[in-house]
Amino acid sequence: MASFMGGSAPAMAAQVADGFILLSSSTVKGLGLGELAALRHELDKLLRDTRATVTAQDDAQATQARNRRIGRLSSALQVVVNSLTTRR
């Protein structure tokens, strides 16, 4: 049984992107290799979708929100990839 916070990998990735969950090495310690791979896939997919969104040039708040979301997803992806490489 998967032990994702939020119930599933897509839900956990969405919560990370929104800032509700912060990933660290201790947070992902309880996840298996398959679960980490699924979370990595979902984080990568959300990161690509977020980077593909275009905000208006004069909308500073939307640009900041997009950049914060990209930053959260990028750092979470680094934690997951690092955890995957150290466990193999």
Side-chain angles (χ1 to χ4, degrees):
M1 181 176 150
S3 59
F4 291 113
M5 292 180 191
S8 64
M12 186 172 177
Q15 290 177 354
V16 167
D18 293 336
F20 295 117
I21 297 176
L22 297 176
L23 289 186
S24 65
S25 59
S26 60
T27 307
V28 297
K29 190 177 281 188
L31 300 176
L33 289 176
E35 294 168 340
L36 281 173
L39 182 59
R40 178 183 179 203
H41 174 73
E42 294 299 327
L43 287 170
D44 194 29
K45 186 167 55 170
L46 274 178
L47 184 59
R48 278 186 273 122
D49 290 344
T50 303
R51 285 186 175 150
T53 60
V54 178
T55 59
Q57 287 184 341
D58 59 346
D59 192 0
Q61 289 181 342
T63 303
Q64 287 176 352
R66 177 183 173 269
N67 288 339
R68 279 193 300 269
R69 188 174 173 97
I70 289 172
R72 287 190 293 261
L73 287 168
S74 296
S75 65
L77 196 56
Q78 283 182 331
V79 169
V80 170
V81 168
N82 184 31
S83 182
L84 277 170
T85 56
T86 57
R87 290 187 191 185
R88 288 182 183 179

